[in-house]
């Protein structure tokens, strides 16, 4: 296996979309987005994503879009603009749409003050028909969460929390500038459960500098003891050319590809032994969680938040850098706060770029999503579904032959199945269908 991790230590996308974000272009702007919104079928349930780009400290591993703020004023100002953006989008829609999924990501959405949660969710309930069973999920930083704060989230209607842990090890926490003792995480989870926010996801990481296999095993045991319904086990993505604060981490102490693989395997084995189901590339879920259900039914999806059981066909993104997707394509908001604010004040959608999907994009996007989610795809069925000739994918099958010879996939009757040892390489299998890969745009993190 070590041989394979060395041989396939390549840089490939994580495929949270296809085409991936570096291929978005400037042809999608405010006017086109307005047309797409106006044309939306009123029966379509919506998923809404909100980006809150603030943290009070920078974790040195962080690869997300965020700003460090020490005062509340910029956050309070941002909230006003976000409320205006909600109004702007809702007014462009042909009716008051059902919203079945609300997700707050960051940054740290829990930088918002407790009463502001109620304000924003109240506004959403005016503008959208938030369904009674809607999933209302927040990425939560335990370091800034008090009991009163969690009560405020509950009062506002939040019913899911994604908890950032990363590592339970005190030395690693020091190295990544994120001091969060185990007891703190356990206490916050207890409060969440007391207030009925019992859909708990936990984010863990492997591949951090000086992290060892023994450590990740212990971390998995501690996580299991807290019984999260879902775990995301992210391989640290070292991209200092994009995130210069990552240069603070000791590059020489980063585990190599073989060690990363061992860490993933060791942690994964712990979760599977404890009864979790392995989901796709890097998630684990308890059998009674919706994610396991979606996996077993073949209805699991992949979006910018990772794996999701959310099957709303349209996602509208709000806030700086937020990405949405509609039938016609992807839309991404601008990142600079000032431009975002000015655009909304002028009544324009703050779109920076996007991508109008071609027939080929949809076809390849479908295949890539099924590989990433089901670890398997029946190309004959795909050709039938998209009414295209069976020979369409002969070049891709040719490309995959070395992976088949190395036991990463099985190729049988036009069906590709990623084997258990191939799971960590699933991005490489998906990459065989990526028509943009060789265009040279975008540098990615390691495949394993
Ligand atoms: C936007 S962060 C939200 C976490 C929240 N701000 C907190 O502090 O708890 C979402 C998750 O992305 C993951 N993440 C961030 N940077 C990463 C990187 N460079 N490589 C891999 N995963 C990363 C972390 O697991 C993190 O919990």
């Amino acid at each position: 296996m070590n041989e394979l991790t060395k041989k396939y230590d390549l840089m490939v996308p994580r495929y949270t979309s296809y085409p991936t974000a570096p291929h978005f272009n400037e042809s999608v702007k405010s006017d086109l987005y307005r047309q797409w919104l106006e044309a939306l079928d009123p029966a379509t349930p919506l998923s809404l994503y909100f980006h809150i780009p603030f943290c009070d400290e920078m974790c040195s591993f962080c690869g997300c879009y965020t700003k460090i703020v020490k005062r509340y004023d910029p956050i309070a100002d941002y909230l006003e603009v976000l409320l205006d953006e909600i109004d702007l989008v809702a007014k462009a829609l042909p009716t008051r749409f059902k919203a079945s999924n609300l997700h707050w990501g960051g940054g740290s959405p829990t930088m918002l003050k407790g009463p502001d949660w109620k304000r924003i969710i109240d506004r959403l309930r005016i503008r959208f028909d938030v369904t009674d069973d809607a999933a209302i999920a927040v990425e939560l930083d335990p370091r800034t969460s008090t009991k009163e704060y969690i009560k405020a989230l509950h009062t506002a209607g939040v019913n899911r929390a994604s908890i950032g842990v990363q590592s339970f090890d005190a030395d690693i926490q020091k190295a990544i500038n994120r001091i969060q003792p185990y007891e703190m995480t356990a206490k916050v989870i207890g409060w969440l459960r007391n207030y009925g926010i019992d859909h708990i996801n936990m984010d863990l990481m492997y591949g951090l500098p000086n992290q060892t296999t023994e450590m990740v095993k212990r971390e998995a045991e501690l996580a299991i003891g807290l019984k999260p319904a879902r775990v995301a086990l992210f391989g640290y993505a070292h991209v200092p050319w994009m995130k210069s604060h990552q240069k603070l981490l000791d590059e020489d102490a980063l585990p190599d590809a073989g060690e990363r693989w061992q860490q993933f395997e060791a942690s994964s084995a712990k979760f599977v032994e404890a009864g979790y189901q392995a989901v796709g590339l890097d998630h684990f879920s308890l059998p009674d969680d919706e994610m396991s259900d979606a996996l077993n039914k073949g209805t699991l999806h992949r979006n910018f938040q990772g794996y999701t059981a959310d099957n709303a066909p349209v996602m509208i993104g709000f806030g700086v850098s937020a990405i949405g997707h509609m039938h016609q394509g992807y839309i991404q908001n601008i990142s600079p706060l000032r431009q975002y604010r000015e655009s909304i004040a002028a009544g324009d959608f703050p779109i920076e770029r996007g991508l109008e999907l071609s027939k080929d994009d949809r076809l390849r996007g479908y295949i890539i999503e099924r590989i990433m989610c089901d670890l398997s795809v029946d190309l004959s069925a795909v050709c039938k579904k998209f009414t295209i000739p069976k020979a369409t994918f002969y070049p891709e099958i040719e490309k995959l032959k070395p992976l088949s010879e190395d036991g990463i996939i099985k190729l049988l009757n036009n069906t590709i199945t990623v084997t258990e040892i191939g799971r960590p390489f699933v991005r490489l299998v998906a990459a065989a269908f990526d028509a943009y890969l060789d265009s040279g745009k975008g540098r990615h993190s390691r495949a394993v």
Side-chain angles (χ1 to χ4, degrees):
M1 191 70 191
N2 238 334
E3 290 305 304
L4 289 183
T5 50
K6 275 189 201 131
K7 179 168 172 187
Y8 294 111
D9 186 19
L10 305 172
M11 306 294 206
V12 278
R14 299 179 54 76
Y15 294 112
T16 50
S17 70
Y18 178 80
T20 56
H23 301 286
F24 292 180
N25 57 55
E26 300 209 339
S27 65
V28 181
K29 286 289 189 194
S30 185
D31 287 352
L32 185 60
Y33 185 39
R34 185 176 294 279
Q35 286 172 28
W36 291 358
L37 289 172
E38 285 170 355
L40 201 57
D41 175 353
T44 314
L46 304 182
S47 191
L48 310 179
Y49 173 77
F50 304 87
H51 195 76
I52 310 291
F54 303 107
C55 290
D56 61 358
E57 258 182 348
M58 183 64 89
C59 302
S60 29
F61 64 84
C62 186
C64 305
Y65 175 61
T66 192
K67 276 187 184 322
I68 305 306
V69 290
K70 297 289 179 195
R71 294 174 306 120
Y72 196 64
D73 299 5
I75 304 173
D77 290 349
Y78 183 75
L79 177 67
E80 296 307 319
V81 188
L82 202 58
L83 291 171
D84 288 345
E85 191 186 6
I86 292 169
D87 291 346
L88 193 67
V89 169
K91 282 182 192 156
L93 289 168
T95 184
R96 185 167 169 267
F97 275 69
K98 272 195 170 44
S100 55
N101 228 285
L102 277 54
H103 187 108
W104 275 266
S108 298
T110 44
M111 291 290 281
L112 280 177
K113 281 190 175 159
D116 283 339
W117 278 105
K118 181 145 168 38
R119 253 190 98 201
I120 191 165
I121 295 187
D122 283 352
R123 178 70 62 94
L124 285 167
R125 289 190 191 279
I126 293 170
R127 291 301 192 181
F128 295 91
D129 172 13
V130 178
T131 58
D132 290 342
D133 60 351
I136 307 187
V138 170
E139 287 175 12
L140 180 140
D141 184 347
R143 295 170 304 163
T144 52
S145 304
T146 60
K147 196 173 173 184
E148 288 63 43
Y149 192 82
I150 286 165
K151 186 177 174 194
L153 289 179
H154 163 72
T155 308
V158 170
N159 51 31
R160 283 155 201 261
S162 217
I163 301 188
V165 171
Q166 328 310 348
S167 167
F168 285 112
D169 185 272
D171 290 331
I172 300 271
Q173 290 187 1
K174 218 156 109 204
I176 62 175
N177 192 34
R178 188 187 173 103
I179 306 296
Q180 183 180 323
Y182 167 83
E183 294 71 25
M184 181 191 277
T185 304
K187 194 164 65 183
V188 169
I189 290 180
W191 291 334
L192 286 164
R193 291 202 166 115
N194 280 344
Y195 282 109
I197 305 179
D198 48 10
H199 287 86
I200 294 178
N201 305 355
M202 190 182 282
D203 291 349
L204 288 175
M205 290 175 76
Y206 68 93
L208 288 163
N210 289 316
Q211 209 173 11
T212 63
T213 302
E214 280 317 302
M215 272 180 201
V216 294
K217 277 194 201 164
R218 178 78 192 122
E219 289 172 336
E221 284 165 2
L222 289 170
I224 290 163
L226 296 171
K227 297 194 176 57
R230 295 178 198 171
V231 172
L233 178 61
F234 294 125
Y236 168 54
H238 190 58
V239 287
W241 56 90
M242 274 161 57
K243 301 283 167 189
S244 56
H245 57 262
Q246 289 187 346
K247 291 181 188 149
L248 293 172
L249 293 176
D250 180 1
E251 221 170 39
D252 296 335
L254 284 173
D256 67 18
E259 287 164 330
R260 280 172 70 95
W261 176 79
Q262 274 174 14
Q263 292 180 8
F264 178 80
E265 284 297 297
S267 184
S268 170
K270 288 277 176 195
F271 286 110
V272 172
E273 262 167 43
Y276 285 79
Q277 210 172 347
V279 179
L281 172 69
D282 51 15
H283 278 50
F284 299 87
S285 57
L286 286 174
D288 58 357
D289 185 77
E290 286 101 324
M291 187 165 276
S292 295
D293 200 39
L295 176 72
N296 300 332
K297 288 186 179 142
T299 57
L300 186 69
H301 290 287
R302 189 137 173 93
N303 68 15
F304 290 95
Q305 282 79 58
Y307 287 100
T308 176
D310 171 16
N311 53 18
V314 170
M315 174 178 281
I316 300 192
F318 297 89
V320 288
S321 79
I323 300 179
H325 65 82
M326 303 186 69
H327 304 293
Q328 297 90 336
Y330 293 103
I331 313 97
Q332 180 164 31
N333 276 357
I334 42 184
S335 298
L337 275 163
R338 194 171 56 83
Q339 275 171 264
Y340 167 71
R341 196 174 42 234
E342 285 171 0
S343 174
I344 289 172
D348 279 336
F349 296 109
I351 309 302
E352 180 176 62
R353 54 193 195 133
L355 190 135
E356 215 170 339
L357 290 167
S358 68
K359 192 172 173 226
D360 189 64
D361 292 335
R362 278 179 227 281
L363 166 68
R364 290 176 184 275
Y366 176 82
I367 295 173
I368 288 175
E369 189 179 37
R370 289 338 311 154
I371 293 174
M372 294 298 292
C373 292
D374 304 338
L375 303 180
S376 179
V377 68
D378 174 353
L379 292 175
S380 301
V382 172
C383 292
K384 213 163 153 195
K385 183 178 165 76
F386 286 82
T387 50
I388 49 170
K390 260 190 164 179
T392 308
F393 295 110
Y394 285 173
E396 283 77 5
I397 289 180
E398 235 4 79
K399 256 195 252 173
L400 285 168
K401 287 215 166 123
L403 295 184
S404 168
E405 281 153 21
D406 284 331
I408 289 174
I409 54 165
K410 281 208 173 96
L411 266 171
L412 197 66
N413 300 332
N414 239 7
T415 294
I416 300 164
T417 307
V418 179
T419 62
E420 217 24 64
I421 68 153
R423 185 184 286 270
F425 302 98
V426 61
R427 293 158 62 183
L428 285 172
V429 182
F433 292 90
D434 183 344
Y436 294 75
L437 197 63
D438 299 328
S439 75
K441 272 198 196 167
R443 272 172 86 188
H444 307 285
S445 56
R446 322 185 90 111
V448 177

